Amino acid sequence: MTVRVRFAPSPTGYLHIGGARTALFNWLFARNMKGTFILRIEDTDESRSTEESTAQILRSMEWLGLNWDEGPFLQSDHKVKHQQYAQQLVSAGQAYQCFCLPEELETRRQEMMAKKLPPKYNGQCRSLSAEQKKKFELAGRQPVIRFRMPDSGVTRINDLVKGPIEFDNSLLDDFVVLKSSAVPVYNFAVVCDDHDMGITQVIRGDDHVSNTPRQIMLYKAFGWEVPEFAHLPMILGSDGARLSKRHGAAALDEYIQQGYLPGAIMNYLALLGWATEDSQQIFSLAEMIGKFSLDRCARNAAIFDPEKLKWMNGEYIRQKLAPAELVQQGRKFLAEKKLIDEKTDLGYISSVIFLERERIRTIGELPELVDFFFTEQVTILDDKARKTLAQPKVKEILFKVETELGSVTNFSVAGLEQAIRQLCENNKYKTGEVFHPVRAAVSGRTTGPGLFDLLAVLGRERVINRIRQAVKSLPEEK
C-alpha cells in the first residue's frame, strides 16, 4: 500500500500550534513511509472561510518547511461532486430529505434534554410520502439531506494511536450531509474528498473521535474502503485546560514575528505527543523523519510549555543557525526597532549580536538586550544600576578607570582585563567595587555579557564618553 495522508485545515482563522502539530505528524508519517502528503483547504464554511486565512495557512506551512506533494486543493471546488454523491445516497435509500425547521428541531432538543434523553434527531422525516414532501415544498421549506444511521449495533475502529474504540450506533442520530443551500457539511465532504484523493490514513486531533463512526458509516454506505484512523492527543496548557492563546498558543505568524526558528518549532511540536525510546530532545530533520512512528505517539494529552519552547529555540540558535544567518536575522529585528540603519557598520553589528548569542532564546529578544550599544547616551533604567552608581567612592573609581582606559594601549578583552584588575590591585579596590559601576555606567544595567567583552565591543571612544557622562551626572562626594 502506498501511503497517502492529508492535512485539511479550515480557513476560518490562523494556523495555530494544534493545527501545526497535526500537519507536522502527517508530514513526518508521509516522509518516513515514503508516501504522499496532500494539502486540502476545507473552505465549505462559507460564512467564516476567508482568503486571508488561507494565505496565512500556506505561508505558515512554507515557513515551517512542510512541503506538500499535492495541492493545495479547495474543498469548495468539489461541491458539485459532493451534491452528486448525496443524491446517490438518496437514490439508494441511505439518505433522505428532511424538511424540519430549525426552531422545530430546537424545541424537540429541549424536550429530550428535559426528559434526560440524548438530544438526537428523532427521524421524523425518514418516511415522508411524496404528498407530504410536496406540501412542505409548496410551503417554501428547503430540505436538508440526512444520512440514515443504523438504529442498533456497534461501530468499531482500531485507532493507530488510541487502540480499539467502540461506538453504540443507537446513540448516534441521522446527521445532515447536505445543507438546504446544497453545501456539504464537514462529515460528508471530508469522506468524499478522502476517498477521491485515495487517503490511506487519517491522522488528526482526538477532538474528531466522535466524528469517526458517522464517517465510517458513510464509507460503508458507498462501498468504499475505510482508511485507518489515528487520533492524536489533545494539547493542554500547563494548568490542564484546553490550549488557548493565554497559554502561549499563538498563531504561527506571531512566532515568526518574535524570532523563533522553524526548525525549533518543528522539533518542539514533534515532542507534543510523541517521543523516542531514549527521550531524545533535539533532532535533525533527518532524525525526526527516520525515527517517527505512530506507535510512539502518546494516548494522554500533551502539555504545551512556552518556556521549554524558548529554551529549545535558544539551543537551535546556538547549534544550528549559521553565523551569517544569525546576523542577517538579527539586523532585521534591530532595524525594525530603529536601532540601526544601512549606514551602521556591519562588523560592529555582528560583534554585538555574537556577544549575546549565548543568552538569547529568540532573535526577537536581541533589541532589548543590546539597545544600549546603538545609542549616544545611556539611560539608567535599571534600579540596581542606579543603586550601584550611588555607592560611596563610585565617582572617584570611575574617574580613575576613565584615566586608565584613555592610556591603555591594548583595548582588547585581555588588555582591558589586565589593566582594570591592575587598577584594582594598585588602589586596593575589591573587583566588585570597580566592575559593577563600570558596567552600570556604560550599559545602564547590571547584567549582560562579560564586562571586558562588553567594553572591547563598545570601543574606547564610546566607553570613555559614557564613563564621563556618568561621572558628570553623579553628585560631588563629601
Side-chain angles (χ1 to χ4, degrees), residues 156-177:
R156 296 180 178 89
I157 64 168
N158 185 25
D159 193 280
L160 298 177
V161 173
K162 292 183 171 296
I165 307 176
E166 290 189 352
F167 303 90
D168 184 346
N169 292 337
S170 67
L171 299 176
L172 304 172
D173 58 1
D174 295 351
F175 62 97
V176 174
V177 296

Side-chain angles (χ1 to χ4, degrees), residues 31 33 69 112 174 232 262 347 367 453 470:
R31 296 295 174 256
M33 301 295 289
D69 304 304
M112 295 182 77
D174 295 351
L232 306 173
D453 298 273

Side-chain angles (χ1 to χ4, degrees), residues 157 159 162 165 167 204-213 231:
I157 64 168
D159 193 280
K162 292 183 171 296
I165 307 176
F167 303 90
R204 58 191 181 186
D206 64 5
D207 53 330
H208 285 287
V209 168
S210 61
N211 291 320
T212 307
H231 289 95

Side-chain angles (χ1 to χ4, degrees), residues 34-282:
K34 301 201 168 30
T36 300
F37 176 61
I38 301 165
L39 178 60
R40 184 174 74 226
I41 305 297
E42 299 194 333
D43 61 341
T44 49
D45 188 337
E46 296 170 308
S47 63
R48 297 174 60 218
S49 297
T50 68
E51 291 183 4
E52 180 187 4
S53 291
T54 298
Q56 191 275 342
I57 290 169
L58 299 181
R59 187 167 60 246
S60 295
M61 294 278 287
E62 289 169 349
W63 179 75
L64 284 171
L66 299 179
N67 56 312
W68 49 91
D69 304 304
E70 296 179 14
F73 300 110
L74 294 178
Q75 193 170 66
S76 58
D77 289 343
H78 306 153
K79 187 163 62 174
V80 172
K81 192 77 174 287
H82 298 146
Q83 293 165 352
Q84 292 170 348
Y85 279 135
Q87 291 304 320
Q88 184 178 324
L89 290 176
V90 172
S91 299
Q94 293 167 315
Y96 58 91
Q97 289 180 314
C98 172
F99 291 86
C100 296
L101 296 173
E103 51 268 31
E104 294 172 342
L105 295 171
E106 179 59 24
T107 298
R108 286 187 214 127
R109 193 179 77 86
Q110 293 295 339
E111 289 172 352
M112 295 182 77
M113 289 177 66
K115 296 176 182 178
K116 297 186 171 20
L117 296 173
K120 54 183 282 191
Y121 178 68
N122 63 2
Q124 182 166 325
C125 292
R126 273 185 175 186
S127 304
L128 291 178
S129 65
E131 184 180 348
Q132 287 172 311
K133 291 179 183 178
K134 187 70 174 175
K135 183 179 178 182
F136 283 132
E137 288 171 355
L138 289 173
R141 294 198 183 193
Q142 296 294 319
V144 301
I145 294 179
R146 287 185 182 271
F147 179 75
R148 183 166 185 153
M149 288 288 287
D151 296 320
S152 60
V154 174
T155 300
R156 296 180 178 89
I157 64 168
N158 185 25
D159 193 280
L160 298 177
V161 173
K162 292 183 171 296
I165 307 176
E166 290 189 352
F167 303 90
D168 184 346
N169 292 337
S170 67
L171 299 176
L172 304 172
D173 58 1
D174 295 351
F175 62 97
V176 174
V177 296
L178 214 63
K179 300 176 188 177
S180 59
S181 61
V183 174
V185 301
Y186 166 77
N187 273 321
F188 184 63
V190 74
V191 168
C192 298
D193 289 347
D194 283 349
H195 166 73
D196 288 349
M197 293 178 179
I199 300 303
T200 54
Q201 286 83 18
V202 175
I203 305 170
R204 58 191 181 186
D206 64 5
D207 53 330
H208 285 287
V209 168
S210 61
N211 291 320
T212 307
R214 295 177 174 86
Q215 293 173 9
I216 288 175
M217 284 300 165
L218 283 169
Y219 277 104
K220 291 181 176 179
F222 283 114
W224 295 339
E225 185 175 351
V226 181
E228 294 180 298
F229 289 90
H231 289 95
L232 306 173
M234 292 276 287
I235 304 175
L236 304 178
S238 56
D239 57 0
R242 184 165 182 165
L243 191 65
S244 66
K245 192 162 184 177
R246 68 187 173 89
H247 299 110
L252 265 292
D253 269 4
E254 293 184 43
Y255 288 104
I256 297 171
Q257 291 162 11
Q258 292 170 28
Y260 283 86
L261 303 181
I265 295 283
M266 285 180 67
N267 193 151
Y268 183 70
L269 290 178
L271 297 175
L272 289 178
W274 173 77
T276 57
E277 289 185 11
D278 59 357
S279 298
Q280 183 177 345
Q281 295 292 298
I282 304 293

Side-chain angles (χ1 to χ4, degrees), residues 5 7 18 54 109 119 140 153 163 181 216 230 256 285 287 291 301 320 328 335 384 415 443 448:
V5 296
F7 175 54
T54 298
R109 193 179 77 86
S181 61
I216 288 175
I256 297 171
L285 191 57
E287 286 176 321
K291 295 185 177 185
K320 300 183 180 296
Q328 180 180 342
K384 290 183 179 179
S443 70

